Each structure stands twice: as C-alpha cells, then as structure tokens.
Amino acid sequence: MVEEKRPEPGKKSALLLTVLVHGALIAALFLGVQWKRSQTEALEVELWSPPVAVTPPPPPVVKPKPEPPKVEPEAPKKPDIVVKEEPKPKKPEPVEKKPPPPPPISFKEQLAREERQAQARLDAQIEAEQRATASQRALANDQISYAGKIRGKIRGNIVLPPGIAGNPEAMFAVTQLPTGEVLAVSLKRSSGNAALDAAIERAILKSSPLPKPDNPAVFYRELEIKYWPFEE
Amino acid sequence: MNVTQDLSILHLILEASAVVQAVMVLLAVVSLMSWYYIFMKWFAVRQARAKTEGFERDFWSGGDLNTLFQGATAARHNSGSMERIFAAGFREFTKLRGQKNLDAKDVIDGSRRAMRATFQREMDTLEAHLAFLASVGSVSPYVGLFGTVWGIMHAFRGLANVGQATLATVAPGIAEALVATAIGLFAAIPAVLAYNRFSHDIDRLATRYESFMEEFSNILQRQMR
C-alpha cells in the first residue's frame, strides 16, 4: 500500500515564527550588549602643565553667541509697553493731546540709541574675546604638541621596573636651560612606587637636552611634567 | 598600540577571525533550521494529538464500524494517524473475512499486521527531524566552543607581539571569541528542550496508538463470531 505524502502542517507559519524568534534574539543582543569604554579619550588630554595658568579656550567662544538673542527679545517688549500706555491718557483727557506723544518718541529714540551703543560695545567685546581666544587656542595647541614631544622623548628613554600596578601618575618639576639641557629634576608628587619614580627621573635626565618647541612662546625654564608609565 | 574601543556585538562579529566567523555563520544557519523544525514539529504534534482525540471520541461513542471506515477513507488526505491505523486494520479485516477457508485467528493476525505496518509508517512521519534537533542540541555547544578556543588562541598569539600585556589588549579578542560560544548555546538550548518535549509527546501518542490497536483487535475478534 503506497501512502501519498501529506503536506506537513504550518510550514509557512513555522518559517515566519523562526524569523521572528531570531529577529527578537538579534534585537536583544544589539540593544543589550553595548559595551563601550568612554574614559580612554580623556587620558591624553593634559600630560603636563606650565607654570602660567592658561584658561581653557573652548568655553569663551561658545558663551558670547547666546548673548545677543537675550538682548534682542527685551527691545521689542519695551516699545509694546509704551504703546499700551499711550491710549490710556488719550481717552479720559482729549484736550491734552500734545504733551503725551513727545515723551514716548524721545524715549523710543533714546532707547534705540542706547541699544545701538550697547550692541556696538557688545560686538567689540565679542570680537576682542574671539581674537584673544583664537590666540589662546593656538598657544594651547603649541603647548600640547610641545608636551607630546617631551613625553615622547622620555618614553623612549624609560626602562620600566617590573610589577607596576595600574597606571599611576607621577609629577616632576624640571628646570631646563634655553638649549633644552636639564639642570635639575625633583619629584613633586610620587606615583606611590619608588622604583617607578626613580626610573622616570633617570629617563628625564637621560632625555637631556629636551626637545625644543615649534613656537618659542611656549618655552619655559621651569616645567611641571606629569607622567604615566603606560600609554593607553 | 591602539585597541579598538567599540565592543558592540556587530563590531565583535565583524572583527573576528575567519575561522570564528565561519563557525558563527554555521551556528546561525543551524539555529535557523532547528527553530524551523521546532515550530514545524510543534504544529504537527499538536495537530496529531487533536485528531487522535477527535477520532477516539468518535470511535468510543459506539458508532457503526462501517460508517466510521467510510468516513476515514473519504477524508484520507485529512485524517489523523489513529484513523489511518483503524482504516488499514478494518480494510484488511473485511478482505480476509470474505475468504471461507481462513481461520478466525488468521484474520485477526492479518488485520493486526496491517495496523502495525501503518503504525510504523505514522511514527516515522511523526519522528522525522527529531534526530536533527537532538544532534543540534548535543553538537552545537562544541562547535561554539571550538570557535571560542580558536579565537582565544588568536588573541593570545597577537598578545605575544605586544610588550606590555594589559587586560585591555586581551579583552576584545576574548569577548569576540566568546560570542561563538554564546551563539552555540543559543542554538543548543532550545533544540534540547524541544527534543525532550517532542519525544515525550510522541512516545505518549505511540502508547495511545498501540493500546488502540489491541482494543480494536479485541473488537474485531468479537465480530468474527
């Protein structure tokens, strides 16, 4: 007896459900597993600092821009109030038409003039600030590249002791000659590992003469060098 | 040295080595197939159980065997396993009873053999693809493990070239490799569960068919007198 083949039930719905299950699984994986490390970028931002404190450049550039809109909304409000005050004296005392109009006009003019002056002052201020921040930013960039050069040279000369736990930071004060020769190195803040401190000090001395900056304006006789044993 | 910082799943899969990627693709295909068969079996077993219950109700409600047989042969494409077993046994019984020189015992034996044959065929259809689920359940964790071991070997070999080994240099490689094990387990766990569930269900159905065969033989034997 030959049995004819019966169609198996629910092929299409099985396929659909399979796709659904896997879709759900993949969605759960993508939404659930978002391991990202965000700290790493901040590690290399400031490796050393010069004695002269430099204000961080980005914030001043951003701040002046929102200010003008703050001034402008106030200006249209004041004339509105003046116009509203006008009709009130007109209705009860029609005889005294002449005195009320002049004060609003002069007030308006005065207001406009003052506004213009304020705006001009503000513009000049913003321009000056922008010029200042641009030069500050260039200076900061030069300092960062100078720091990078020094750090690179030290890194090339260092011999790390074994058994360093984590990535401790050590701070050294370095006095150099204008030629870059290191006169004195003193430990300002220990990394907590005496062997590591000694190794960094040796590396700094070995790095003499230190590299010169591209921009002579960022050269200082006294340097404070912060150093991490590992580059992330 | 710059370790990639992005550890999202897509990144992990795309960054993995070729062998690990091949393992992942294989496991993904196996997982798709096993889920497809899981749903197919689920529908099939559910339908078989519903039809068996329907037929048992009809049969034991004391209807005439001839009308039941006609109903079963008319709805041949849509009948359940138990109905087919009944139809095969009854057909053989009516054929053999027409022959004068046969003993009553031989008639019953003949119809029982016919029922047994149909029963085997039905069980074969019901159990199809269960072996696939069983092997997916038992093998895919090992395949995933192979991918992981390979990936970790890869990660450590890359580590040998780096002077200072930190956790950050090893972690992405290992995470990448472990994705293979995860996919293997995702494929295996449902397959094992489904295999156990379906084989249990099918065993119960088989017991039901067998006891029905015995009872029906008794009924046929009573009809011989």
Side-chain angles (χ1 to χ4, degrees), chain A residues 60-92:
Chain A
V61 186
V62 188
K63 271 181 186 172
K65 281 174 187 171
E67 271 176 34
K70 272 181 197 168
V71 180
E72 278 164 15
E74 279 174 28
K77 270 179 194 169
K78 276 181 184 171
D80 275 353
I81 295 165
V82 177
V83 174
K84 275 174 194 168
E85 280 171 1
E86 266 181 279
K88 278 177 188 171
K90 270 180 191 172
K91 281 173 186 174

Side-chain angles (χ1 to χ4, degrees), chain A residues 12-28, chain B residues 32 35-36 39:
Chain A
K12 272 185 189 167
S13 42
L15 204 64
L16 190 76
L17 282 170
T18 308
V19 172
L20 270 180
V21 164
H22 283 82
L25 202 68
I26 288 167
Chain B
L32 276 168
W35 273 100
Y36 177 65
F39 283 119

Side-chain angles (χ1 to χ4, degrees), chain A residues 3-4 6 18 22 35-36, chain B residues 6-7 31 77 84 122:
Chain A
E3 296 258 334
E4 58 260 78
R6 277 170 295 171
T18 308
H22 283 82
W35 308 311
K36 281 187 185 171
Chain B
D6 187 12
L7 280 182
S31 169
H77 295 287
R84 282 153 174 265
E122 291 300 320

Side-chain angles (χ1 to χ4, degrees), chain A residues 1 3-4 6 8-11 13-15 17-18 21-22 30 33-37 40 160 230, chain B residues 5-7 9-10 12 31-32 35-36 39-40 43-44 47 76-77 79 84 91 121-122 164 168:
Chain A
M1 191 172 78
E3 296 258 334
E4 58 260 78
R6 277 170 295 171
E8 287 195 66
K11 258 188 183 171
S13 42
L15 204 64
L17 282 170
T18 308
V21 164
H22 283 82
F30 272 84
V33 187
Q34 289 285 350
W35 308 311
K36 281 187 185 171
R37 283 177 277 164
T40 41
L160 287 173
F230 301 118
Chain B
Q5 300 303 323
D6 187 12
L7 280 182
I9 276 285
L10 190 70
L12 286 180
S31 169
L32 276 168
W35 273 100
Y36 177 65
F39 283 119
M40 287 254 290
F43 291 136
Q47 199 190 44
R76 195 144 30 104
H77 295 287
S79 56
R84 282 153 174 265
R91 189 183 296 116
R121 223 176 277 128
E122 291 300 320
Q164 288 142 1

Side-chain angles (χ1 to χ4, degrees), chain A residues 192-216:
Chain A
N193 183 340
L196 177 62
D197 292 343
I200 297 171
E201 195 173 335
R202 273 198 301 277
I204 293 172
L205 286 171
K206 212 174 166 189
S207 306
S208 173
L210 293 172
K212 284 179 193 157
D214 298 326
N215 181 0

